[in-house]
C-alpha cells in the first residue's frame, strides 16, 4: 500500500486523475499523521479535521465527475497562523489576540488555495507575530525539530516546516520577513521559496512593511512551482502586488542550469563563520551544479552585513505591531519581543530613513551583481538546528536571532527571490540547506535551478 503522506502534491494529483486513490484517502492519511506528530513536535495551533474531511469529500466528487476545481483540487495544505483563514481564528502566537470575532476573510494566498480546491488541514505554529527565527510563543509553547525533538524546528514558519517534513500535508504557506520560510526549511530538510516581493500578495499589510513575503514550503521545487502558479497572482487588496506573472512557474522548470553564470559565496567574503559540515555539504552541491553545466565562480557580492539597518526596520515594525496594546497586555508578550519593541519605539523617522538608504544601496549593489551573474549560491544558514526553546545557540555569543542568520535577511531587504534546497546532513544527521538567489522578478530561474539540483541523481 502506498504511503500517501510520502507523496508530493504532483504525485497526489496524478493518483486522483487515475483513480488510484482519492482526496479523502490522502486527507485521512495526512490528518492521522498530524495527530500523531502533534504531541511531540507541536507543529499545529489547531487541526481542522472535520472541515478538512468535508472539503476532501467534495473534492472526491468533483474528481469522480472529471471536473476538478483547479490546480490543487484535493491536495492537503497547511496555513501558518499569521495568515487569515476564513472560519478559523488567526492568533499569531499571541495571548493578546482574542479568538472571538467573525474571522470571515481569507488572506489572498489562502483565498487562491480555496478557489483551487485545496483541503485545509489546519493552522501551523509561529513565534509571536513572527518576530524571530525560531518557533516558540507564549500561546503555543515550543515547536520542535521533526527528526530530533530536543532541537528547534527554526522559524518563524517552524510549524509549517515540521508538518511538511513529517508528512502532514505536502504543501504549506509560510511567511518570510528575514528568513522565516528559509530558516526552518533548511533546519528541517525541505524546500522553501521566498518569492520576489509582491509576487504573492499579502493582506492585511504587514507592520514589517516591504520586508514581509508569503512563500511556499514543500518537499521539492516542482510542488513549489505548482503552488506559485496558484498563489502568485494579483489581489486588489494588496496595493504593492505585482501584475500577473509572465508564464507558468511549473512549465518553466525543465530548462536546467546549463550555461547559467553562478556565483558561489561560501561565507559572504569571510564575514560568516560557517560550520565545516555545512560548508562541505554546500560545496558538494555547488560542484553538482557545475557538473550540470553551470559556469560556477567562487566570488562574493560586495556588501557589508546590513544587520543594524535590518534591526532598525524590523524592530520598528515590531513596535508598530504592539503599539495599540495596554500595559497589562504587554506583560503577556514574549520577553524578547517586548525588548525589541522597546528598542524600535525609540528610533526616529530619520533613523528609519537612514536604514532605508542602506537598503536601497544594498539593492543597487545586488542589481549590479546580477548583471554579471544569473544566480548567487550560499549556505542558507551557517549551522544546523540547535537546542529547542532558545533564540540563539548556547555559547554562540549572539544576542538576537539575526546573529546566526546572516545569509537570509539581506535578501528580504533587497526583495530578491531566494530559495533553500536540502543538500545533505551533518555528522548528527541534521539537514543542511543551500540558498539560491536571483535578481528581482527572476523567481522562475531560482525554481528551475533548484529543480535541476534536486532532480540530479548524483
Amino acid at each position: 500500500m502506498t504511503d500517501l503522506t510520502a507523496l508530493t502534491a504532483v504525485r497526489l494529483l496524478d493518483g486522483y486523475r487515475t483513480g488510484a486513490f482519492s482526496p479523502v484517502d490522502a486527507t485521512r492519511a495526512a490528518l492521522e499523521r498530524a495527530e500523531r506528530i502533534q504531541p511531540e513536535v507541536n507543529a499545529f495551533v489547531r487541526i481542522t479535521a472535520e472541515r478538512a474531511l468535508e472539503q476532501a469529500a467534495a473534492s472526491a466528487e468533483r474528481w469522480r465527475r472529471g471536473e476538478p476545481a483547479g490546480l490543487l483540487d484535493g491536495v492537503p495544505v497547511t496555513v501558518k497562523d499569521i495568515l487569515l483563514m476564513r472560519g478559523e481564528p488567526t492568533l499569531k502566537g499571541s495571548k493578546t489576540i482574542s479568538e472571538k470575532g467573525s474571522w470571515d476573510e481569507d488572506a489572498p494566498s489562502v483565498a487562491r488555495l480555496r478557489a483551487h480546491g485545496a483541503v485545509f488541514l489546519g493552522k501551523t505554529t509561529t513565534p509571536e507575530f513572527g518576530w524571530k527565527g525560531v518557533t516558540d510563543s507564549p500561546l503555543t509553547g515550543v515547536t520542535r525539530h521533526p527528526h530530533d525533538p530536543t532541537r528547534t524546528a527554526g522559524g518563524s514558519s517552524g510549524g509549517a516546516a515540521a508538518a511538511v517534513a513529517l508528512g502532514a500535508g505536502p504543501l504549506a504557506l509560510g511567511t518570510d520577513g528575514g528568513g522565516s520560510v528559509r530558516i526552518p526549511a533548511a533546519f528541517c530538510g525541505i524546500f522553501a521559496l521566498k518569492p520576489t516581493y509582491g509576487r504573492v500578495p499579502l493582506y492585511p499589510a504587514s507592520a514589517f512593511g516591504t520586508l514581509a513575503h508569503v512563500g511556499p514550503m514543500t518537499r521539492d521545487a516542482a510542488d513549489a512551482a505548482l503552488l506559485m502558479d496558484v498563489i502568485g497572482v494579483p489581489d486588489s487588496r494588496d496595493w504593492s502586488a505585482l501584475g500577473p506573472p509572465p508564464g507558468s512557474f511549473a512549465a518553466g522548470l525543465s530548462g536546467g542550469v546549463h550555461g547559467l553564470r553562478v556565483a558561489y559565496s561560501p561565507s559572504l567574503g569571510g564575514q560568516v563563520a560557517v560550520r565545516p559540515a555545512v560548508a562541505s555539504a554546500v560545496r558538494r552541491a555547488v560542484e553538482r551544479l557545475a557538473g550540470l553545466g553551470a559556469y560556477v565562480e567562487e566570488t562574493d557580492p560586495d556588501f557589508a552585513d546590513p544587520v543594524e539597518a535590518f534591526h532598525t526596520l524590523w524592530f520598528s515594525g515590531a513596535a508598530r505591531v504592539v503599539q495599540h496594546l495596554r500595559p497589562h497586555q504587554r506583560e503577556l508578550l514574549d520577553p524578547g519581543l517586548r525588548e525589541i519593541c522597546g528598542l524600535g519605539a525609540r528610533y526616529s523617522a530619520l533613523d528609519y530613513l537612514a536604514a532605508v538608504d542602506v537598503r536601497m544601496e544594498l539593492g543597487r549593489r545586488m542589481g549590479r551583481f546580477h548583471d554579471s551573474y544569473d544566480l548567487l549560491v550560499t549556505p542558507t544558514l551557517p549551522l544546523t538546528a540547535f537546542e529547542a526553546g532558545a533564540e540563539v545557540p548556547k555559547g554562540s555569543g549572539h544576542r538576537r536571532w539575526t546573529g546566526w542568520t546572516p545569509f537570509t535577511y539581506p535578501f528580504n531587504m533587497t526583495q530578491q527571490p531566494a530559495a533553500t534546497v536540502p543538500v545533505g546532513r551533518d555528522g548528527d544527521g541534521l539537514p543542511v540547506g543551500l540558498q539560491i538567489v536571483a535578481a528581482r522578478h527572476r523567481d522562475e530561474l531560482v525554481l528551475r535551478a533548484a529543480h535541476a539540483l534536486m532532480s540530479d541523481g548524483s
Side-chain angles (χ1 to χ4, degrees):
M1 177 66 181
T2 300
D3 177 5
L4 298 182
T5 66
L7 300 185
T8 64
V10 170
R11 291 185 64 193
L12 285 177
L13 291 164
D14 287 341
Y16 299 162
R17 290 187 190 96
T18 63
F21 43 79
S22 77
V24 174
D25 299 326
T27 300
R28 282 180 176 153
L31 287 170
E32 289 172 4
R33 182 62 57 86
E35 296 283 2
R36 192 183 315 155
I37 68 174
Q38 180 60 12
E40 185 170 50
V41 176
N42 189 30
F44 287 86
V45 177
R46 70 188 60 82
I47 299 170
T48 54
E50 183 176 353
R51 189 170 297 188
L53 288 170
E54 291 173 356
Q55 292 167 349
S59 172
E61 175 59 23
R62 291 192 293 271
W63 280 104
R64 187 193 65 79
R65 297 196 309 264
E67 300 172 353
L71 294 178
L72 294 174
D73 201 348
V75 177
V77 302
T78 63
V79 176
K80 183 180 180 181
D81 200 37
I82 290 288
L83 299 169
L84 293 178
M85 188 170 88
R86 192 174 74 229
E88 297 294 335
T90 299
L91 304 180
K92 303 183 180 182
S94 184
K95 291 182 177 180
T96 68
I97 297 178
S98 171
E99 292 192 15
K100 296 178 181 178
S102 56
W103 304 110
D104 57 358
E105 192 170 22
D106 283 329
S109 51
V110 177
R112 290 290 296 170
L113 286 173
R114 198 182 298 278
H116 280 256
V119 173
F120 295 105
L121 300 178
K123 302 297 288 291
T124 54
T125 53
T126 175
E128 195 163 20
F129 300 111
W131 81 270
K132 60 183 174 180
V134 293
T135 300
D136 56 72
S137 74
L139 182 68
T140 58
V142 178
T143 296
R144 299 179 181 274
H145 195 276
H147 307 302
D148 182 350
T150 68
R151 300 180 188 252
T152 180
S156 63
S157 306
V164 171
L166 290 172
L171 305 179
L173 287 181
T175 64
D176 190 316
S180 289
V181 300
R182 290 161 289 156
I183 294 165
F187 274 177
C188 295
I190 66 167
F191 179 85
L193 171 70
K194 179 193 76 66
T196 298
Y197 178 79
R199 179 72 281 152
V200 178
L202 178 61
Y203 173 85
S206 172
F208 297 105
T210 57
L211 295 172
H213 303 59
V214 177
M217 305 178 72
T218 61
R219 290 201 189 94
D220 62 21
D223 270 11
L226 176 62
L227 184 48
M228 283 295 294
D229 279 342
V230 171
I231 65 175
V233 296
D235 186 290
S236 60
R237 294 173 291 175
D238 183 351
W239 67 273
S240 60
L242 297 176
S248 164
F249 293 104
L253 286 175
S254 61
V257 297
H258 185 81
L260 292 182
R261 302 163 299 168
V262 177
Y264 166 44
S265 178
S267 61
L268 293 181
Q271 297 183 80
V272 185
V274 179
R275 291 189 181 175
V278 172
S280 295
V282 171
R283 185 172 290 275
R284 288 193 298 270
V286 171
E287 290 169 353
R288 286 166 50 205
L289 283 174
L292 291 169
Y295 297 112
V296 177
E297 178 182 346
E298 187 167 326
T299 189
D300 302 299
D302 178 24
F303 65 79
D305 186 355
V307 67
E308 294 305 323
F310 179 79
H311 281 169
T312 300
L313 300 170
W314 192 252
F315 295 175
S316 297
R320 176 63 175 158
V321 168
V322 305
Q323 187 179 29
H324 67 287
L325 297 181
R326 297 177 179 176
H328 74 278
Q329 292 176 301
R330 288 175 181 260
E331 291 302 312
L332 300 175
L333 295 173
D334 180 328
L337 174 60
R338 193 162 59 240
E339 181 179 334
I340 70 161
C341 289
L343 294 171
R346 292 196 286 272
Y347 291 127
S348 69
L350 289 178
D351 293 330
Y352 192 92
L353 291 172
V356 171
D357 285 343
V358 172
R359 182 181 190 180
M360 290 190 293
E361 172 60 16
L362 180 61
R364 183 194 70 80
R365 287 174 180 266
M366 288 308 302
R368 292 295 300 272
F369 184 81
H370 285 291
D371 286 341
S372 300
Y373 299 99
D374 299 301
L375 298 172
L376 169 66
V377 172
T378 74
T380 306
L381 297 166
L383 75 176
T384 52
F386 52 87
E387 60 271 18
E391 184 185 344
V392 301
K394 289 179 182 177
S396 66
H398 298 310
R399 179 76 180 105
R400 298 262 77 103
W401 62 273
T402 45
W404 52 270
T405 61
F407 292 110
T408 59
Y409 56 78
F411 303 110
N412 291 80
M413 297 176 76
T414 62
Q415 303 186 342
Q416 294 170 248
T420 183
V421 180
V423 292
R425 294 178 181 264
D426 69 3
D428 294 323
L430 295 168
V432 172
L434 170 147
Q435 181 173 232
I436 302 174
V437 184
R440 292 174 71 238
H441 312 296
R442 296 306 308 273
D443 304 70
E444 86 293 343
L445 195 58
V446 172
L447 288 164
R448 174 156 53 102
H451 181 65
L453 189 56
M454 298 186 80
S455 301
D456 177 37
S458 60

